[in-house]
Amino acid sequence: LKPLEAIAGVINYVTRTYPWLTPYQYGVYLQLNSCRPGRNQDGWRDDGFQISDHDPLSDQEGDGCAAPFYDGTNSTIRERLIFFKRIKRLPWNVKAMEQLTSPNSLVKRPAKPAIGAKVTYSFGDASGQFFGQAEYEQDTDVIRIDVGRWTKEASERGSNFWELATIVTKVEDLERRGKLSQFSEVFVFTDNFVSEGVFHKGNARSANLFELMLRLHLTMMRTGAKVHVIWIAGKRMISNGIDGCSRADYDVGMATAMIHPLSYVPLHATVLERNHHLLDFVRDFTELRELHPLTPADWFLSAIRIKGVHLWTPAPGAASTAVELWARAAQVQPRSCHIWLSPSIWTTSWRKTLGKASDILIELPFDNVFWLNDLDFEPLILAISFPLLHSYPWKIKFSRLHQRFKDQLREVQHPGFSHVGHCLRELWISANKWKNRAWHASCFHMKHDDPFPRALFPKPDLLDKGGVTDWEFTR
């Protein structure tokens, strides 16, 4: 057990320099935790497992190993026979790390491409028989379209394999043609969300998808190129014509060379640049007519230094940086309120962080009210971070108020846009009442295990005269 823990610690430090090893350390940690109760045959935790219902004798399967443990009765460390399960993923991960660390000389990984970096955009889609790929290199007038047919074996492996294989084969083709180097950056667009998730997380339980991701990481390591896999809506893939190429139809979208390829993926455009009426929507449910969106410069200054209501509308290409600054501003100014609006593009790297830093996060479907442009199809992400409360539970997201409105928003976000605005206005007003409510001795009940008991209470005569509307207890 101890040697495996030491190996896991070394790998953890190595991944800070070589991040392409990160997905392959899962197998080591799953093997280490396979002795814990409530784990399935793959090492993952079972949903709904309760430690109180666990029978220790049921885990005595697999390979036994003497390991130190603390029995909870005294301060001594004893030896106990712990039973480990064989994790299928561990051999795959070890094989992958052996291949990724096989070169005799150290691989130099550039922190970012140089100023003269070559940027390539690729679109890929696949069907049961064919796959289509489009390639555009920035500052050129050439669009390369490749169409292929799956072999009989590949055509039986499912849509997730087809979509990810289309991405991997395109990147490997760029390497063969000498288009990839440490000064290259490749943006690959797909309408398969699993491909984006597997690329960013490396959490593929399928052996076929695992092998494809290993090939992609090996290509990135050999060339030093930076690759991004980005999900876009299926309707966007249809509009740019790549969906048709995978079905042998070449009369739509980029295949006709009538529209610039980058117009199909506006990573630089904010939601207000796509639809300026969304600003009126936010002003309506907040009742703040003077509310203006923050500029990128304000993310670093005004949002952190000035207390108030801040509207964040980052472009998809800058959303990852904006989320980090959003979380920092919420900590520095706990009395500020932050509102987030962005299209649901390139979200895998930051959406989880945004959900943790915000009180409520909803995804509004696209329709004619959201987007004025016919080329915009992705849903709209709306997140709100309210100020901290003066009392328990300290944040709106942990209160009954949040759960009630969350259920309402989930019900009304699909039928129409106006119902969402009405519900958000009610939530905004209710949250502000919670934020501004005062302490009252008559309705306050101290918990017996409160680590910060209130040391000062208002006098009863002040309560009767209404003189404690802005009272805050000292601790």
Side-chain angles (χ1 to χ4, degrees):
L1 181 64
K2 282 298 181 181
L4 190 59
E5 289 179 346
I7 293 173
V10 173
I11 296 175
N12 191 35
Y13 280 100
V14 174
T15 54
R16 298 187 180 185
T17 305
Y18 301 105
W20 50 70
L21 291 175
T22 301
Y24 307 109
Q25 62 180 344
Y26 278 100
V28 179
Y29 286 103
L30 291 177
Q31 184 64 66
L32 282 172
N33 291 281
S34 64
C35 62
R36 296 181 181 273
R39 299 278 173 162
N40 58 25
Q41 293 298 325
D42 295 327
W44 299 102
R45 184 184 304 168
D46 291 329
D47 296 334
F49 173 77
Q50 299 292 334
I51 190 66
S52 58
D53 301 333
H54 171 58
D55 181 11
L57 298 178
S58 63
D59 281 342
Q60 295 186 7
E61 301 176 356
D63 300 330
C65 169
F69 82 105
Y70 174 59
D71 60 3
T73 58
N74 50 48
S75 59
T76 60
I77 302 296
R78 302 181 180 180
E79 293 286 331
R80 188 184 72 176
L81 191 64
I82 296 179
F83 291 86
F84 291 90
K85 301 174 183 177
R86 296 181 183 272
I87 304 302
K88 297 180 180 179
R89 180 168 181 156
L90 182 60
W92 298 354
N93 289 178
V94 173
K95 176 183 176 182
M97 287 187 287
E98 286 179 349
Q99 296 186 37
L100 291 170
T101 56
S102 59
N104 295 327
S105 59
L106 293 177
V107 178
K108 294 183 178 180
R109 184 180 69 90
K112 63 179 181 178
I115 297 177
K118 297 181 179 180
V119 182
T120 303
Y121 300 88
S122 174
F123 301 81
D125 194 26
S127 60
Q129 295 182 348
F130 300 93
F131 64 89
Q133 302 169 334
E135 173 193 336
Y136 170 73
E137 189 173 338
Q138 193 172 18
D139 300 330
T140 63
D141 298 328
V142 179
I143 301 176
R144 177 190 174 111
I145 296 180
D146 299 320
V147 179
R149 186 184 184 97
W150 296 115
T151 62
K152 182 179 179 180
E153 180 184 359
S155 62
E156 299 174 352
R157 293 190 176 181
S159 60
N160 290 334
F161 174 84
W162 303 334
E163 299 287 352
L164 188 56
T166 303
I167 296 172
V168 175
T169 54
K170 168 53 68 175
V171 176
E172 291 176 342
D173 178 63
L174 291 173
E175 181 189 13
R176 283 192 298 268
R177 292 190 283 120
K179 296 288 186 178
L180 295 185
S181 66
Q182 61 179 349
F183 306 109
S184 302
E185 193 161 3
V186 182
F187 294 84
V188 185
F189 299 93
T190 177
D191 60 352
N192 182 259
F193 193 76
V194 173
S195 298
E196 183 187 35
V198 169
F199 176 78
H200 286 280
K201 299 179 181 179
N203 186 10
R205 299 188 181 184
S206 169
N208 294 327
L209 298 184
F210 185 88
E211 292 295 334
L212 289 174
M213 284 310 307
L214 178 58
R215 285 167 52 185
L216 183 57
H217 284 147
L218 287 171
T219 304
M220 295 169 59
M221 185 193 69
R222 288 192 301 265
T223 61
K226 195 168 183 133
V227 179
H228 308 279
V229 178
I230 304 172
W231 172 86
I232 59 177
K235 289 187 176 181
R236 186 179 294 276
M237 194 66 73
I238 294 174
S239 67
N240 63 27
I242 305 305
D243 181 81
C245 291
S246 65
R247 292 169 173 80
D249 182 8
Y250 313 110
D251 297 329
V252 183
M254 283 189 288
T256 62
M258 299 296 293
I259 302 178
H260 196 279
L262 296 186
S263 63
Y264 294 102
V265 283
L267 298 180
H268 63 285
T270 66
V271 292
L272 299 183
E273 292 174 347
R274 301 182 181 196
N275 185 356
H276 59 277
H277 296 300
L278 286 173
L279 180 58
D280 296 329
F281 164 70
V282 177
R283 288 174 174 174
D284 287 341
F285 81 76
T286 60
E287 299 180 343
L288 299 174
R289 305 309 304 175
E290 301 300 325
L291 182 64
H292 294 282
L294 297 174
T295 64
D298 294 334
W299 300 347
F300 297 87
L301 299 174
S302 301
I304 297 177
R305 297 180 181 179
I306 301 176
K307 182 175 70 173
V309 180
H310 303 290
L311 176 59
W312 300 66
T313 59
S320 180
T321 301
V323 166
E324 295 180 7
L325 296 172
W326 159 293
R328 179 183 176 187
Q331 290 183 338
V332 175
Q333 290 289 353
R335 300 304 178 194
S336 293
C337 179
H338 303 274
I339 304 173
W340 177 284
L341 282 176
S342 69
S344 183
I345 303 179
W346 207 355
T347 63
T348 307
S349 60
W350 53 264
R351 181 163 181 163
K352 184 176 181 181
T353 304
L354 180 64
K356 290 182 177 180
S358 60
D359 290 301
I360 189 167
L361 187 149
I362 58 176
E363 186 177 274
L364 306 177
F366 56 84
D367 54 26
N368 295 331
V369 182
F370 286 128
W371 309 122
L372 300 180
N373 193 343
D374 293 336
L375 297 179
D376 290 324
F377 305 102
E378 285 77 19
L380 177 72
I381 293 181
L382 170 65
I384 304 176
S385 176
F386 292 103
L388 291 181
L389 302 175
H390 293 289
S391 62
Y392 180 86
W394 313 115
K395 288 182 70 67
I396 291 292
K397 69 185 303 182
F398 302 126
S399 65
R400 294 190 301 270
L401 176 70
H402 168 266
Q403 187 61 38
R404 175 164 63 91
F405 280 97
K406 182 179 179 181
D407 296 339
Q408 291 183 13
L409 287 171
R410 186 182 295 112
E411 294 176 358
V412 304
Q413 63 183 343
H414 292 286
F417 187 73
S418 59
H419 299 289
V420 175
H422 176 76
C423 189
L424 286 173
R425 176 180 292 180
E426 187 178 354
L427 171 62
W428 183 268
I429 295 174
S430 302
N432 278 277
K433 289 181 180 179
W434 273 57
K435 174 177 69 71
N436 296 325
R437 66 178 182 174
W439 292 100
H440 293 271
S442 59
C443 61
F444 173 73
H445 300 282
M446 185 183 301
K447 292 188 175 182
H448 67 279
D449 57 347
D450 192 347
F452 303 104
R454 282 73 179 173
L456 182 63
F457 291 84
K459 296 181 179 180
D461 57 343
L462 291 179
L463 288 173
D464 297 336
K465 297 178 182 179
V468 291
T469 55
D470 296 326
W471 183 277
E472 292 187 22
F473 286 99
T474 58
R475 296 181 180 275

